[in-house]
Amino acid sequence: MADARVTLKLENIGKSFAKVESDEVIHALHNINVTMESGEFISLVGPSGCGKSTILRLVAGLITPTLGKVSVNGKEIDGPAPDRGMVFQKPTLFPWLTVEKNIAFSLEMRGVKKGNEDKVRRMLKVIGLESFKDDYPAQLSGGMAQRVALVRSLISEPEILLMDEPLGALDAFTRMHMQDEILNIWAEKRQLALMVTHDIDEAIYMGTRVLVMDVNPGHIIADIKIDESFPRDRSSASFVKYRNDILNKLHFGGKKA
Ligand code: ADP
Ligand code: MG
C-alpha cells in the first residue's frame, strides 16, 4: 500500500470538452507535462476554469485525456482504483452510516479485514472526533464532516491522495487548523498528495511544490519547489517571497515601489 513508491506522469496532456448547446469545443488543458513522486505534496493553484479539477479527475481515472498519457509507474490509468483516493470540496459521506462506519467503509472496500477497529479509532483520535463516532453526518458541522471525509480517504492508505479544494468550504480558523491536520497525517507516510486550492498562502504553507496554472487553454506556467521545512511560518521573508513570485506569475503582483 502506501509504502510503495510511485511516479505519476502526465505527458503531453490535452483535454477538450464538447459544449452541449453548440458545436464549440472547450480546450480545458493543453500540453501538460509533469512528473510527481511519492513524498511530494503538490499544490495546484490558478484561476477558476484553468483545469485544476480536470487534472485531478484525469488522475483519479474519472475521465480520459483527449491527447497524451497519464500513468502511474509507467502503467496508463484506465479508471478509478483504490491506489488513488479522492477528497472533494463538499464532504461526500454516506448519510445512513455513522461516522465510525463511514470511515471503516473504505477499509472494507479495499478488502482489509484485520485491525480495522483499531485503525478507525486511531483516525478518530487524530481528528479529535472520538466522541462523535456514533453520530450521523447530518449531525456534524461542515468542518467535522470534512475531517471525516479526509480520514476516510487516508485510512485505506492510497499511494496517491487527490484533494479538490478540500478546505474551500471552511471558515478561516478551521481552515488553518485543518491545514495542519492534513499535513500531520500526510507526514506519517508521505504518500504523493495532489491538492487543488485557489488560496496561494495555503498552497505555499502546505506544498513541497506548487504548480501554477493559467487559463485559455489551461496550462502550467510555473513549477516551484518550496524548499522549507514544516511547519512553515506564514510571515517569514521566504514565505512572502514565494507569495510574491506566484502573484507576479499570475499578474497580481501590483506596482513595484
Ligand atoms: P478549475 O477546477 O480550475 O476551476 P475545471 O477543471 O473545472 O477548472 O474546468 C476547466 C474548463 O473545462 C472550464 O472551462 C470548464 O468549464 C470546462 N469543463 C470542465 N469539465 C467539463 C465538462 N464535463 N463538460 C464541459 N466542460 C467542462
Ligand atoms: Mg475546480
Side-chain angles (χ1 to χ4, degrees):
M1 288 205 215
D3 294 334
R5 311 300 288 173
V6 296
T7 301
L8 168 67
K9 259 193 174 161
L10 282 76
E11 293 169 271
N12 305 315
I13 295 298
K15 178 67 185 172
S16 309
F17 293 103
K19 264 199 177 167
V20 182
E21 66 275 21
S22 67
D23 293 341
E24 232 183 297
V25 172
I26 301 165
H27 299 289
L29 293 174
H30 174 70
N31 197 25
I32 303 288
N33 282 288
V34 58
T35 301
M36 314 177 203
E37 310 251 352
S38 300
E40 293 191 293
F41 192 114
I42 298 184
S43 305
L44 210 51
V45 284
S48 184
C50 70
K52 303 179 296 293
S53 296
T54 301
I55 289 189
L56 250 59
R57 290 165 66 216
L58 284 166
V59 176
L62 298 171
I63 53 173
T64 53
T66 312
L67 286 173
K69 182 174 151 184
V70 188
S71 63
V72 176
N73 292 344
K75 189 178 171 294
E76 193 156 1
I77 286 171
D78 60 0
D83 66 326
R84 284 159 281 127
M86 180 87 142
V87 181
F88 297 92
Q89 179 171 1
K90 287 214 184 102
T92 44
L93 298 173
F94 298 116
W96 61 88
L97 294 180
T98 61
V99 163
E100 186 176 34
K101 296 224 163 77
N102 259 290
I103 298 173
F105 182 81
S106 65
L107 287 173
E108 285 159 26
M109 280 283 287
R110 219 175 162 165
V112 182
K113 297 208 175 66
K114 275 198 350 214
N116 288 9
E117 272 179 36
D118 284 349
K119 282 190 185 145
V120 172
R121 208 172 302 130
R122 205 185 136 255
M123 282 296 174
L124 281 167
K125 199 168 172 209
V126 168
I127 55 172
L129 293 181
E130 293 145 298
S131 56
F132 293 86
K133 69 181 175 57
D134 297 321
D135 283 10
Y136 288 87
Q139 295 167 272
L140 305 176
S141 71
M144 291 184 202
Q146 191 58 297
R147 271 182 266 175
V148 176
L150 259 169
V151 296
R152 190 187 54 180
S153 286
L154 285 165
I155 199 171
S156 60
E157 300 183 2
E159 284 88 359
I160 301 176
L161 179 64
L162 305 166
M163 296 175 277
D164 197 350
E165 302 195 24
L167 309 180
L170 305 180
D171 67 83
F173 295 108
T174 313
R175 187 168 183 149
M176 286 193 273
H177 174 65
M178 285 293 293
Q179 290 170 355
D180 289 329
E181 282 193 4
I182 294 176
L183 284 173
N184 286 339
I185 297 171
W186 168 77
E188 285 187 15
K189 301 259 173 180
R190 292 191 66 127
Q191 63 269 66
L192 170 57
L194 184 52
M195 182 186 77
V196 169
T197 175
H198 49 236
D199 181 330
I200 291 170
D201 276 31
E202 181 169 282
I204 302 165
Y205 185 75
M206 298 180 74
T208 59
R209 192 172 156 198
V210 178
L211 298 180
V212 186
M213 296 182 68
D214 208 349
V215 278
N216 295 326
H219 61 291
I220 295 172
I221 55 171
D223 184 342
I224 301 166
K225 193 169 173 357
I226 309 291
D227 231 342
E228 302 278 316
S229 58
F230 292 103
R232 278 141 183 196
D233 174 356
R234 294 174 214 267
S235 56
S236 72
S238 54
F239 198 101
V240 172
K241 187 172 178 305
Y242 283 121
R243 183 195 295 139
N244 288 344
D245 268 4
I246 294 172
L247 285 171
N248 280 327
K249 297 239 154 60
L250 290 166
H251 314 292
F252 290 114
K255 283 208 186 91
K256 290 274 171 316

